[in-house]
Amino acid sequence: MFRALSLFAAAALVALPAAAQQANTAITGVWLIEDGTAQVTIAPCGNQVCGRITRVIRARPGSNGRDENNPDPALRNRPILGLSILTEMTRDGDVWRGKIYDPRGGKVYRSVVERDGANRLSVKGCISFICKAQSWTRVS
């Protein structure tokens, strides 16, 4: 019995660094996007992670608060507030991969998100091998 407990304790100690690393690299939370115009809340959605606009701080001049640049005319009337912009995000080592929607241009890009310290995210939107990155700051 002592041997079984020792094996259990050893397995638990081996698992601790992996669990701590996962917690340290989680991307969930509320994030201020780079230009300071909105906050995005990233949270689990099923077995993936998704991000939606949960606060508009400063609307673009001339904006009607709707997804007016969406290529699908049927979606152009949906509000920006609550709009899902990070979708299908799954963990791949220390990064999350999925898609990001840019409501300013109405386009969807391949996305890579990774932690950049305790309170920053590097959020990339990519076409082929060309990526544009933003730095998002943790709000909570």
Side-chain angles (χ1 to χ4, degrees):
M1 178 160 173
F2 179 73
R3 181 181 161 104
L5 287 174
S6 295
L7 288 174
F8 176 75
L13 287 174
V14 169
L16 278 176
Q21 181 179 3
Q22 278 190 330
N24 290 338
T25 58
I27 61 171
T28 58
V30 181
W31 302 90
L32 179 67
I33 67 171
E34 188 171 84
D35 67 4
T37 58
Q39 290 179 358
V40 174
T41 298
I42 301 176
C45 55
N47 61 349
Q48 300 174 338
V49 175
C50 302
R52 65 180 57 249
I53 297 172
T54 51
R55 182 173 178 213
V56 175
I57 296 169
R58 188 176 63 247
R60 284 184 331 195
S63 171
N64 65 4
R66 304 281 176 194
D67 190 14
E68 59 197 352
N69 295 318
N70 196 298
D72 182 347
L75 299 177
R76 291 182 187 153
N77 201 33
R78 65 184 178 170
I80 294 293
L81 186 61
L83 186 66
S84 185
I85 63 167
L86 286 173
T87 58
E88 302 175 21
M89 302 301 292
T90 56
R91 189 174 191 141
D92 181 11
D94 289 338
V95 302
W96 283 257
R97 298 181 189 280
K99 296 179 182 178
I100 188 166
Y101 174 67
D102 174 14
R104 292 182 181 166
K107 298 197 183 315
V108 176
Y109 301 96
R110 183 175 50 84
S111 183
V112 178
V113 177
E114 63 184 313
R115 289 298 291 268
D116 184 13
N119 296 310
R120 292 224 185 270
L121 284 184
S122 172
V123 180
K124 297 176 186 171
C126 306
I127 299 175
S128 185
F129 60 89
I130 300 170
C131 297
K132 181 178 178 187
Q134 286 191 358
S135 181
W136 292 6
T137 306
R138 180 180 290 283
V139 174
S140 64

